[in-house]
Amino acid sequence: RKEVEQDPGPFNVPEGATVAFNCTYSNSASQSFFWYRQDCRKEPKLLMSVYSSGNEDGRFTAQLNRASQYISLLIRDSKLSDSATYLCVVNAYNFNKFYFGSGTKLNVKP
Amino acid sequence: GAVVSQHPSWVICKSGTSVKIECRSLDFQATTMFWYRQFPKQSLMLMATSNEGSKATYEQGVEKDKFLINHASLTLSTLTVTSAHPEDSSFYICSALAGGRTGELFFGEGSRLTVL
């Protein structure tokens, strides 16, 4: 079983739509959780950390569900510029071990 | 925010040659750096964890004699692909973990290697 699993998509949505991604992790001792965004042929860039209480940054909302071992990312009012691959990253075992999901591709269409 | 610089961005080399990629943390000291490889339409694959002043820890299936990692200072880690072959062509990305931060990774811009 993979440490971190994501639906690869693609999610094809119209501008203005609300879209949500989930990511499940296998290790209950995981400590830190992140969503990264990766554009085609570019390096990943941190979108937001995911806190236990949930957090929001503009149109983006991240949630953590420790009981069910998943994190989610909600994007409201999708923009064309949101088109990218969204990577779920989990820090497990110890501070130096990060696990990446395979990424969920989002295509926002006019 | 923290900046990690990777060089070169693009490299094309002949089969059998060696290629060195540098990863520098520009405004913080990185005790730990990570090297990844990413093939088209696939996720990042961790190759090795590089710790300053000690030997790198390689993931299963990654040949340590082929992918030489050196982390001689707190701001620089290098990956050398030795005797490169066409199947080594890939996007190589480094990331750095800043001491004191709660697990946030900062990525280099990546290096696209093409072996002819």
Side-chain angles (χ1 to χ4, degrees), chain B residues 31-81:
Chain B
T31 54
T32 303
M33 289 184 172
F34 303 92
W35 287 97
Y36 307 86
R37 181 165 53 183
Q38 187 175 35
F39 293 107
K41 298 185 179 181
Q42 295 187 24
S43 186
L44 294 168
M45 185 191 80
L46 178 65
M47 299 175 67
T49 302
S50 170
N51 295 300
E52 186 268 337
S54 64
K55 291 183 179 180
T57 304
Y58 289 81
E59 294 299 301
Q60 193 172 11
V62 179
E63 298 174 59
K64 63 180 181 180
D65 295 329
K66 180 164 181 66
F67 299 99
L68 300 178
I69 291 172
N70 184 282
H71 194 157
S73 78
L74 285 170
T75 58
L76 174 64
S77 177
T78 61
L79 167 69
T80 301
V81 182

Side-chain angles (χ1 to χ4, degrees), chain A residues 36 38 43 46 95 98 101, chain B residues 38 43 59 101 103-105 108:
Chain A
Y36 279 76
Q38 185 175 25
E43 78 277 17
L46 180 66
F95 202 58
F98 292 84
Chain B
Q38 187 175 35
S43 186
E59 294 299 301
R101 293 178 186 267
E104 183 178 343
L105 294 176

Side-chain angles (χ1 to χ4, degrees), chain A residues 16-68:
Chain A
T18 295
V19 62
F21 311 134
N22 278 344
C23 164
T24 58
Y25 60 94
S26 61
N27 189 338
S28 60
S30 298
Q31 301 167 323
S32 306
F33 309 87
F34 309 89
W35 283 103
Y36 279 76
R37 170 194 169 128
Q38 185 175 25
D39 292 292
C40 189
R41 302 169 80 88
K42 298 283 188 181
E43 78 277 17
K45 293 186 178 177
L46 180 66
L47 179 64
M48 55 198 306
S49 302
V50 186
Y51 303 124
S52 297
S53 56
N55 48 303
E56 187 175 308
D57 183 3
R59 298 182 293 110
F60 300 86
T61 301
Q63 297 277 356
L64 167 63
N65 185 318
R66 284 194 182 273
S68 300

